[in-house]
Coordinates of all heavy atoms in Angstrom, one line a residue:
M1 N 87.5 -32.2 -34.0 CA 86.4 -32.3 -33.0 C 86.9 -32.2 -31.5 O 87.9 -32.5 -31.3 CB 85.7 -33.7 -33.1 CG 85.1 -33.9 -34.6 SD 83.5 -33.1 -34.7 CE 83.7 -32.6 -36.5
T2 N 86.0 -31.6 -30.8 CA 86.3 -31.5 -29.4 C 85.9 -32.7 -28.5 O 85.1 -33.5 -29.0 CB 85.6 -30.2 -28.8 OG1 84.3 -30.4 -29.0 CG2 86.0 -29.0 -29.6
A3 N 86.4 -32.8 -27.4 CA 86.1 -33.9 -26.5 C 84.6 -33.9 -26.1 O 84.0 -35.0 -25.9 CB 86.9 -34.0 -25.3
S4 N 84.0 -32.7 -26.1 CA 82.5 -32.7 -25.6 C 81.6 -33.0 -26.8 O 80.5 -33.2 -26.6 CB 82.3 -31.4 -25.0 OG 82.4 -30.4 -25.9
N5 N 82.1 -32.9 -28.0 CA 81.3 -33.1 -29.2 C 82.0 -34.1 -30.2 O 82.7 -33.7 -31.1 CB 81.1 -31.7 -29.9 CG 80.1 -31.9 -31.1 OD1 79.5 -32.9 -31.2 ND2 80.0 -30.9 -31.9
P6 N 81.9 -35.4 -29.9 CA 82.7 -36.3 -30.6 C 82.1 -36.4 -32.1 O 80.9 -36.2 -32.3 CB 82.4 -37.7 -29.9 CG 81.2 -37.5 -29.2 CD 81.2 -36.1 -28.9
G7 N 83.0 -36.7 -33.0 CA 82.6 -36.8 -34.4 C 81.9 -38.1 -34.7 O 81.7 -39.0 -33.8
P8 N 81.3 -38.2 -35.9 CA 80.5 -39.4 -36.3 C 81.5 -40.7 -36.2 O 81.0 -41.7 -35.7 CB 80.0 -39.2 -37.6 CG 80.7 -38.0 -38.2 CD 81.3 -37.3 -37.0
D9 N 82.7 -40.5 -36.6 CA 83.7 -41.7 -36.6 C 83.9 -42.1 -35.1 O 83.9 -43.4 -34.8 CB 84.9 -41.4 -37.2 CG 84.7 -41.2 -38.8 OD1 83.8 -41.8 -39.3 OD2 85.7 -40.5 -39.4
E10 N 84.0 -41.2 -34.2 CA 84.3 -41.6 -32.8 C 83.1 -42.3 -32.2 O 83.2 -43.2 -31.4 CB 84.7 -40.3 -32.0 CG 86.1 -39.7 -32.4 CD 86.4 -38.5 -31.5 OE1 85.8 -38.3 -30.5 OE2 87.1 -37.6 -32.2
A11 N 81.9 -41.8 -32.5 CA 80.7 -42.4 -32.0 C 80.4 -43.8 -32.6 O 80.1 -44.7 -31.8 CB 79.4 -41.5 -32.4
R12 N 80.9 -43.9 -33.8 CA 80.7 -45.3 -34.5 C 81.8 -46.2 -33.8 O 81.4 -47.4 -33.5 CB 81.0 -45.2 -35.9 CG 79.9 -44.6 -36.8 CD 80.1 -44.7 -38.2 NE 80.2 -46.1 -38.7 CZ 81.1 -46.6 -39.6 NH1 82.0 -45.8 -40.2 NH2 81.1 -47.8 -39.9
I13 N 83.0 -45.7 -33.5 CA 84.0 -46.5 -32.9 C 83.5 -47.0 -31.4 O 83.6 -48.2 -31.0 CB 85.3 -45.9 -32.8 CG1 85.9 -45.8 -34.3 CG2 86.3 -46.5 -31.9 CD1 87.2 -45.0 -34.5
E14 N 83.0 -46.1 -30.8 CA 82.5 -46.4 -29.3 C 81.3 -47.3 -29.4 O 81.3 -48.3 -28.6 CB 82.0 -45.0 -28.7 CG 83.1 -44.1 -28.2 CD 82.7 -42.9 -27.6 OE1 81.6 -42.8 -27.1 OE2 83.5 -42.0 -27.4
A15 N 80.5 -47.3 -30.4 CA 79.3 -48.2 -30.6 C 79.9 -49.6 -30.9 O 79.5 -50.6 -30.4 CB 78.4 -47.8 -31.6
L16 N 81.0 -49.6 -31.8 CA 81.5 -50.9 -32.1 C 82.3 -51.5 -30.9 O 82.1 -52.7 -30.8 CB 82.5 -50.7 -33.3 CG 81.8 -50.4 -34.7 CD1 82.8 -50.0 -35.7 CD2 81.0 -51.6 -35.2
E17 N 82.9 -50.7 -30.2 CA 83.6 -51.2 -29.0 C 82.7 -51.8 -28.0 O 82.8 -52.8 -27.3 CB 84.5 -50.2 -28.4 CG 85.7 -49.8 -29.2 CD 86.5 -48.7 -28.6 OE1 86.0 -47.9 -27.7 OE2 87.7 -48.6 -29.0
A18 N 81.5 -51.1 -27.8 CA 80.5 -51.5 -26.9 C 79.9 -52.9 -27.3 O 79.7 -53.8 -26.6 CB 79.4 -50.5 -26.7
A19 N 79.7 -53.0 -28.6 CA 79.0 -54.3 -29.2 C 80.1 -55.4 -29.1 O 79.8 -56.5 -28.8 CB 78.7 -54.0 -30.6
C20 N 81.2 -55.1 -29.3 CA 82.4 -56.1 -29.2 C 82.4 -56.6 -27.7 O 82.6 -57.8 -27.4 CB 83.8 -55.5 -29.6 SG 85.0 -56.7 -29.7
A21 N 82.4 -55.7 -26.7 CA 82.5 -56.0 -25.5 C 81.3 -57.0 -24.9 O 81.5 -57.8 -24.3 CB 82.5 -54.7 -24.4
H22 N 80.1 -56.5 -25.5 CA 78.9 -57.3 -25.2 C 79.0 -58.6 -25.8 O 78.7 -59.7 -25.1 CB 77.6 -56.6 -25.8 CG 76.5 -57.4 -25.6 ND1 75.8 -57.7 -24.4 CD2 75.6 -58.1 -26.7 CE1 74.8 -58.3 -24.7 NE2 74.6 -58.6 -26.0
Q23 N 79.5 -58.8 -27.0 CA 79.7 -60.1 -27.6 C 80.7 -61.0 -26.8 O 80.5 -62.2 -26.7 CB 80.1 -59.9 -29.1 CG 79.0 -59.5 -30.0 CD 79.4 -59.2 -31.5 OE1 80.6 -59.2 -31.8 NE2 78.4 -59.0 -32.3
D24 N 81.9 -60.4 -26.5 CA 82.8 -61.1 -25.7 C 82.2 -61.7 -24.3 O 82.5 -62.7 -24.0 CB 84.0 -60.2 -25.4 CG 84.9 -59.9 -26.5 OD1 84.9 -60.6 -27.5 OD2 85.7 -59.0 -26.4
R25 N 81.4 -60.9 -23.7 CA 80.7 -61.3 -22.5 C 79.7 -62.5 -22.7 O 79.8 -63.5 -22.1 CB 80.0 -60.1 -21.7 CG 79.3 -60.6 -20.5 CD 78.7 -59.4 -19.7 NE 77.7 -58.7 -20.6 CZ 76.4 -59.1 -20.8 NH1 76.1 -60.3 -20.3 NH2 75.6 -58.4 -21.6
V26 N 79.0 -62.4 -23.8 CA 78.1 -63.4 -24.3 C 78.8 -64.7 -24.6 O 78.3 -65.8 -24.2 CB 77.1 -62.8 -25.3 CG1 76.2 -64.1 -25.9 CG2 76.2 -61.8 -24.8
I27 N 79.8 -64.5 -25.3 CA 80.7 -65.7 -25.8 C 81.2 -66.5 -24.5 O 81.1 -67.6 -24.4 CB 81.7 -65.3 -26.7 CG1 81.1 -64.9 -28.2 CG2 82.7 -66.4 -27.0 CD1 82.1 -64.3 -29.1
A28 N 81.7 -65.7 -23.6 CA 82.2 -66.3 -22.3 C 81.1 -67.0 -21.6 O 81.3 -68.1 -21.1 CB 82.9 -65.2 -21.5
E29 N 79.9 -66.4 -21.5 CA 78.9 -67.0 -20.8 C 78.4 -68.4 -21.5 O 78.1 -69.3 -20.8 CB 77.6 -66.1 -20.6 CG 77.9 -64.9 -19.8 CD 76.8 -63.9 -19.7 OE1 75.8 -64.1 -20.5 OE2 76.8 -62.9 -19.0
L30 N 78.4 -68.3 -22.7 CA 78.0 -69.5 -23.6 C 79.0 -70.6 -23.4 O 78.7 -71.7 -23.2 CB 77.7 -69.1 -25.0 CG 76.4 -68.3 -25.3 CD1 76.5 -67.9 -26.8 CD2 75.3 -69.1 -25.0
S31 N 80.3 -70.2 -23.4 CA 81.3 -71.1 -23.3 C 81.2 -71.9 -21.9 O 81.4 -73.0 -21.8 CB 82.7 -70.5 -23.4 OG 83.7 -71.3 -23.2
D32 N 81.0 -71.1 -20.9 CA 80.8 -71.6 -19.4 C 79.7 -72.5 -19.4 O 79.7 -73.6 -18.8 CB 80.7 -70.4 -18.5 CG 81.9 -69.6 -18.3 OD1 83.0 -70.1 -18.7 OD2 81.8 -68.6 -17.7
A33 N 78.5 -72.2 -20.0 CA 77.3 -73.0 -20.0 C 77.6 -74.3 -20.8 O 77.2 -75.4 -20.3 CB 76.2 -72.2 -20.7
I34 N 78.3 -74.3 -21.9 CA 78.6 -75.5 -22.6 C 79.6 -76.4 -21.9 O 79.4 -77.6 -21.8 CB 79.2 -75.2 -24.0 CG1 78.1 -74.6 -24.9 CG2 79.8 -76.4 -24.7 CD1 78.5 -73.9 -26.2
A35 N 80.5 -75.8 -21.2 CA 81.5 -76.5 -20.3 C 80.7 -77.3 -19.2 O 80.9 -78.4 -18.9 CB 82.5 -75.7 -19.8
A36 N 79.7 -76.5 -18.6 CA 78.9 -77.1 -17.5 C 78.0 -78.2 -18.1 O 77.9 -79.3 -17.4 CB 78.1 -76.1 -16.8
Q37 N 77.4 -78.1 -19.2 CA 76.6 -79.2 -19.8 C 77.5 -80.4 -20.1 O 77.0 -81.5 -19.8 CB 76.0 -78.6 -21.0 CG 74.8 -77.7 -20.7 CD 74.2 -77.0 -21.9 OE1 74.8 -77.2 -23.0 NE2 73.1 -76.4 -21.9
W38 N 78.7 -80.2 -20.6 CA 79.4 -81.4 -21.0 C 79.9 -82.1 -19.7 O 79.9 -83.4 -19.7 CB 80.7 -80.9 -21.7 CG 80.5 -81.0 -23.3 CD1 80.4 -79.8 -24.0 CD2 80.2 -82.0 -24.1 NE1 80.1 -80.3 -25.3 CE2 79.9 -81.6 -25.3 CE3 80.0 -83.4 -23.9 CZ2 79.5 -82.4 -26.4 CZ3 79.7 -84.3 -24.9 CH2 79.4 -83.8 -26.2
A39 N 80.2 -81.3 -18.6 CA 80.6 -82.0 -17.3 C 79.3 -82.9 -16.9 O 79.5 -83.9 -16.4 CB 81.0 -81.0 -16.3
R40 N 78.2 -82.3 -17.0 CA 77.0 -83.0 -16.5 C 76.7 -84.2 -17.4 O 76.4 -85.3 -17.0 CB 75.7 -82.0 -16.6 CG 74.5 -82.7 -16.0 CD 74.5 -82.9 -14.6 NE 73.2 -83.4 -14.1 CZ 73.1 -84.4 -13.2 NH1 74.3 -84.8 -12.6 NH2 71.9 -84.7 -12.9
I41 N 76.9 -84.1 -18.7 CA 76.7 -85.2 -19.7 C 77.7 -86.3 -19.3 O 77.4 -87.4 -19.4 CB 76.9 -84.7 -21.2 CG1 75.6 -83.9 -21.5 CG2 77.1 -85.9 -22.0 CD1 75.9 -83.2 -22.9
D42 N 79.0 -85.9 -19.0 CA 80.0 -87.0 -18.7 C 79.6 -87.6 -17.5 O 79.7 -88.9 -17.3 CB 81.4 -86.3 -18.5 CG 82.0 -85.9 -19.9 OD1 81.5 -86.4 -21.1 OD2 82.9 -84.9 -19.9
A43 N 79.1 -87.0 -16.4 CA 78.7 -87.5 -15.2 C 77.5 -88.5 -15.5 O 77.5 -89.6 -14.9 CB 78.4 -86.5 -14.2
L44 N 76.5 -88.1 -16.1 CA 75.5 -88.9 -16.5 C 75.8 -90.2 -17.3 O 75.2 -91.3 -17.0 CB 74.4 -88.2 -17.2 CG 73.6 -87.1 -16.3 CD1 72.7 -86.2 -17.2 CD2 72.8 -87.7 -15.2
T45 N 76.8 -90.0 -18.3 CA 77.2 -91.1 -19.0 C 77.9 -92.2 -18.1 O 77.6 -93.4 -18.2 CB 78.2 -90.7 -20.1 OG1 77.4 -89.7 -20.9 CG2 78.6 -91.8 -20.9
R46 N 78.8 -91.7 -17.2 CA 79.4 -92.6 -16.3 C 78.3 -93.3 -15.4 O 78.5 -94.5 -15.2 CB 80.4 -91.9 -15.3 CG 81.7 -91.5 -16.1 CD 82.8 -91.0 -15.2 NE 82.4 -89.8 -14.3 CZ 82.4 -88.6 -14.7 NH1 82.8 -88.3 -15.9 NH2 82.0 -87.6 -13.9
E47 N 77.3 -92.7 -14.9 CA 76.3 -93.2 -14.1 C 75.5 -94.2 -14.9 O 75.2 -95.3 -14.4 CB 75.4 -92.1 -13.6 CG 74.2 -92.7 -12.7 CD 74.8 -93.1 -11.3 OE1 75.9 -92.9 -11.0 OE2 74.0 -93.8 -10.6
V48 N 75.2 -94.0 -16.2 CA 74.5 -95.0 -17.0 C 75.3 -96.2 -17.1 O 74.7 -97.3 -17.1 CB 74.0 -94.3 -18.3 CG1 73.6 -95.4 -19.3 CG2 72.9 -93.3 -18.1
L49 N 76.5 -96.1 -17.4 CA 77.4 -97.3 -17.6 C 77.6 -98.0 -16.3 O 77.5 -99.3 -16.4 CB 78.8 -96.7 -18.2 CG 78.9 -96.1 -19.5 CD1 80.3 -95.6 -19.8 CD2 78.4 -97.1 -20.5
R50 N 77.7 -97.4 -15.2 CA 77.7 -98.0 -13.9 C 76.4 -98.8 -13.6 O 76.5 -100.0 -13.2 CB 78.0 -97.1 -12.8 CG 78.2 -97.7 -11.3 CD 78.2 -96.6 -10.3 NE 76.9 -96.1 -10.1 CZ 75.9 -96.7 -9.5 NH1 75.9 -97.9 -9.0 NH2 74.7 -96.0 -9.2
L51 N 75.3 -98.2 -14.0 CA 74.0 -98.8 -13.7 C 73.9 -100.1 -14.7 O 73.3 -101.1 -14.3 CB 72.8 -97.9 -13.8 CG 72.8 -96.8 -12.7 CD1 71.7 -95.8 -13.0 CD2 72.4 -97.5 -11.3
R52 N 74.3 -99.9 -15.9 CA 74.2 -101.0 -16.9 C 75.0 -102.1 -16.4 O 74.6 -103.3 -16.5 CB 74.6 -100.4 -18.2 CG 74.4 -101.6 -19.4 CD 75.0 -101.2 -20.6 NE 76.4 -101.1 -20.5 CZ 77.2 -100.5 -21.4 NH1 76.7 -100.1 -22.6 NH2 78.5 -100.5 -21.3
D53 N 76.2 -101.8 -15.9 CA 77.1 -103.0 -15.4 C 76.4 -103.6 -14.2 O 76.5 -104.8 -14.0 CB 78.5 -102.4 -15.0 CG 79.2 -102.0 -16.3 OD1 78.9 -102.5 -17.4 OD2 80.3 -101.3 -16.1
E54 N 75.8 -102.9 -13.3 CA 75.2 -103.3 -12.1 C 74.0 -104.2 -12.4 O 73.9 -105.3 -11.9 CB 74.7 -102.2 -11.2 CG 74.2 -102.6 -9.9 CD 73.9 -101.4 -9.0 OE1 74.6 -100.5 -8.9 OE2 72.7 -101.5 -8.4
V55 N 73.2 -103.8 -13.5 CA 72.1 -104.6 -13.9 C 72.7 -106.0 -14.6 O 72.0 -107.0 -14.3 CB 71.2 -103.9 -14.9 CG1 70.3 -104.8 -15.6 CG2 70.5 -102.7 -14.2
Q56 N 73.6 -105.9 -15.2 CA 74.2 -107.1 -15.9 C 74.6 -108.0 -14.8 O 74.4 -109.2 -15.0 CB 75.4 -106.8 -16.8 CG 74.8 -106.2 -18.2 CD 76.0 -105.8 -19.1 OE1 77.1 -105.7 -18.6 NE2 75.7 -105.5 -20.3
V57 N 75.4 -107.5 -13.8 CA 75.8 -108.4 -12.7 C 74.7 -109.0 -12.0 O 74.6 -110.3 -11.7 CB 76.8 -107.6 -11.8 CG1 77.1 -108.4 -10.5 CG2 78.1 -107.3 -12.5
Q58 N 73.6 -108.2 -11.7 CA 72.4 -108.8 -10.9 C 71.9 -109.7 -11.8 O 71.3 -110.8 -11.2 CB 71.5 -107.6 -10.6 CG 72.0 -106.7 -9.5 CD 72.3 -107.3 -8.2 OE1 71.4 -108.3 -7.9 NE2 73.1 -106.9 -7.4
G59 N 71.7 -109.6 -13.0 CA 71.1 -110.5 -14.0 C 71.8 -111.9 -14.0 O 71.3 -113.0 -14.0
E60 N 73.2 -111.8 -14.0 CA 74.0 -113.0 -14.0 C 73.8 -113.7 -12.7 O 73.8 -115.0 -12.7 CB 75.4 -112.6 -14.3 CG 75.7 -112.2 -15.6 CD 77.1 -111.5 -15.9 OE1 77.9 -111.5 -14.8 OE2 77.4 -111.1 -16.9
R61 N 73.7 -113.1 -11.6 CA 73.6 -113.7 -10.3 C 72.3 -114.4 -10.2 O 72.2 -115.4 -9.5 CB 73.8 -112.7 -9.2 CG 75.1 -112.2 -8.9 CD 75.2 -111.3 -7.7 NE 76.5 -110.6 -7.6 CZ 76.7 -109.5 -7.0 NH1 75.7 -108.9 -6.4 NH2 77.8 -108.9 -7.0
S62 N 71.2 -113.8 -10.7 CA 69.9 -114.3 -10.5 C 69.4 -115.3 -11.6 O 68.4 -115.8 -11.5 CB 68.8 -113.2 -10.3 OG 68.8 -112.4 -11.4
A63 N 70.3 -115.4 -12.6 CA 69.8 -116.4 -13.7 C 69.9 -117.8 -13.2 O 71.0 -118.3 -12.8 CB 70.8 -116.2 -14.8
P64 N 68.7 -118.5 -13.2 CA 68.7 -119.7 -12.7 C 69.4 -120.8 -13.7 O 69.4 -120.6 -14.9 CB 67.3 -120.2 -12.6 CG 66.6 -119.2 -13.6 CD 67.5 -117.9 -13.7
D65 N 70.2 -121.8 -13.0 CA 70.8 -122.7 -13.9 C 69.8 -123.9 -14.3 O 70.0 -124.6 -15.3 CB 71.9 -123.5 -13.0 CG 73.0 -122.4 -12.7 OD1 73.1 -121.5 -13.4 OD2 73.8 -122.7 -11.8
R66 N 68.7 -124.0 -13.6 CA 67.7 -124.9 -14.0 C 66.3 -124.2 -13.9 O 66.1 -123.3 -13.2 CB 67.8 -126.2 -13.1 CG 67.6 -125.8 -11.7 CD 67.9 -127.0 -10.7 NE 68.0 -126.5 -9.4 CZ 67.2 -127.0 -8.4 NH1 66.4 -128.0 -8.7 NH2 67.4 -126.5 -7.2
P67 N 65.3 -124.8 -14.5 CA 64.0 -124.2 -14.5 C 63.4 -124.3 -13.1 O 63.8 -125.1 -12.3 CB 63.1 -125.0 -15.4 CG 64.0 -126.3 -15.8 CD 65.3 -126.0 -15.4
P68 N 62.4 -123.3 -12.8 CA 61.8 -123.3 -11.5 C 61.2 -124.6 -11.3 O 60.7 -125.3 -12.2 CB 61.1 -122.1 -11.5 CG 61.0 -121.5 -12.9 CD 62.1 -122.2 -13.7
P69 N 60.7 -125.0 -10.0 CA 60.1 -126.2 -9.6 C 58.7 -126.4 -10.3 O 58.3 -127.5 -10.4 CB 60.0 -126.3 -8.2 CG 60.5 -124.9 -7.7 CD 61.1 -124.2 -8.8
H70 N 58.1 -125.3 -10.7 CA 56.7 -125.5 -11.2 C 56.7 -126.1 -12.6 O 55.6 -126.3 -13.1 CB 55.9 -124.2 -11.1 CG 56.5 -123.1 -11.9 ND1 57.4 -122.3 -11.4 CD2 56.2 -122.6 -13.1 CE1 57.7 -121.4 -12.3 NE2 56.9 -121.5 -13.3
Y71 N 57.7 -126.3 -13.3 CA 57.7 -126.9 -14.7 C 57.6 -128.3 -14.6 O 58.1 -129.1 -13.9 CB 59.1 -126.5 -15.4 CG 59.1 -125.0 -16.0 CD1 59.9 -124.1 -15.5 CD2 58.1 -124.8 -17.0 CE1 59.8 -122.8 -16.1 CE2 58.1 -123.6 -17.6 CZ 58.9 -122.6 -17.1 OH 58.8 -121.3 -17.7

């Protein structure tokens, strides 16, 4: 076959290479998205734990040792 008229095998190989390149790009994009989501999940988890600890400390500080005077 000549360079200007590729054979069916060459056309199939080019189509497969294009599909492979597209899949590689999509996989890289998905990997980046998942990494960003995990980073966000980790940050939110740390924030929830911090807030839980803060609420517990506030609850311990404001817990009365005796009942209020209206009892």
Side-chain angles (χ1 to χ4, degrees):
M1 296 286 140
T2 62
S4 62
N5 188 11
D9 290 339
E10 290 177 28
R12 286 184 65 219
I13 290 172
E14 287 180 17
L16 290 171
E17 287 175 344
C20 184
H22 174 71
Q23 288 177 347
D24 286 344
R25 183 178 51 81
V26 170
I27 289 169
E29 289 173 0
L30 291 172
S31 179
D32 292 344
I34 290 170
Q37 288 174 346
W38 273 112
R40 183 69 177 142
I41 288 169
D42 287 341
L44 291 170
T45 299
R46 284 191 305 275
E47 181 70 11
V48 166
L49 293 173
R50 186 190 66 78
L51 290 171
R52 184 183 67 187
D53 291 343
E54 186 176 316
V55 167
Q56 285 177 344
V57 167
Q58 290 296 327
E60 291 169 0
R61 284 186 193 157
S62 64
D65 293 338
R66 58 189 171 123
H70 63 275
Y71 278 115

